[in-house]
Amino acid sequence: GSQPLLEDMPPRIIEHPTDLLVSRGEPATLSCKAEGRPVPAVEWYKDGERVETDREDPRSHRTLLPGGALFFLRILHGRRGKPDEGVYVCVARNYLGEAISRNASLEVASE
């Protein structure tokens, strides 16, 4: 039998995030690109917990870019905590499965 030209494929991460060192208040981007068919949905996790972006909360300072990267308008960092510091992974899913990127740590530079 002839194969259909476009077979569905499970997700595959083709661009992994890399460790970042950013200054407080600066923008930052954690890259992630995934391919698959159908196009996988990308979610981010920080220290094992799902990262909320402006898709869930319009006031969020984190945006999920169309390709799957996570963009921070500015890195939040205060005396009371470091909400953006941690270890991030990007997870791409479609109905055939999921792919998990390498760990990337985001660190805020000390003044």
Side-chain angles (χ1 to χ4, degrees):
S2 59
Q3 290 276 31
L5 283 177
L6 293 179
E7 287 184 71
D8 284 355
M9 297 183 317
R12 190 165 77 89
I13 307 274
I14 52 177
E15 191 184 323
H16 290 264
T18 51
D19 293 352
L20 285 185
L21 180 63
V22 275
S23 302
R24 184 173 76 192
E26 293 292 302
T29 304
L30 283 167
S31 52
C32 178
K33 211 173 260 153
E35 61 178 22
R37 205 173 290 123
V39 173
V42 169
E43 288 184 332
W44 284 87
Y45 290 82
K46 168 182 168 289
D47 301 329
E49 297 199 3
R50 208 169 89 73
V51 172
E52 282 209 338
T53 64
D54 59 0
R55 296 196 175 182
E56 291 90 23
D57 178 1
R59 294 185 314 276
S60 174
H61 67 294
R62 290 180 291 240
T63 301
L64 188 60
L65 299 180
L70 184 63
F71 174 70
F72 299 81
L73 293 170
R74 61 190 181 286
I75 293 299
L76 299 183
H77 192 79
R79 283 188 299 277
R80 286 189 300 284
K82 310 173 178 183
D84 290 327
E85 211 167 65
V87 176
Y88 289 79
V89 294
C90 141
V91 181
R93 287 191 185 90
N94 67 16
Y95 80 96
L96 286 171
E98 65 175 37
I100 302 176
S101 74
R102 291 196 288 269
N103 286 353
S105 64
L106 189 151
E107 230 178 299
V108 180
S110 44
E111 308 293 286

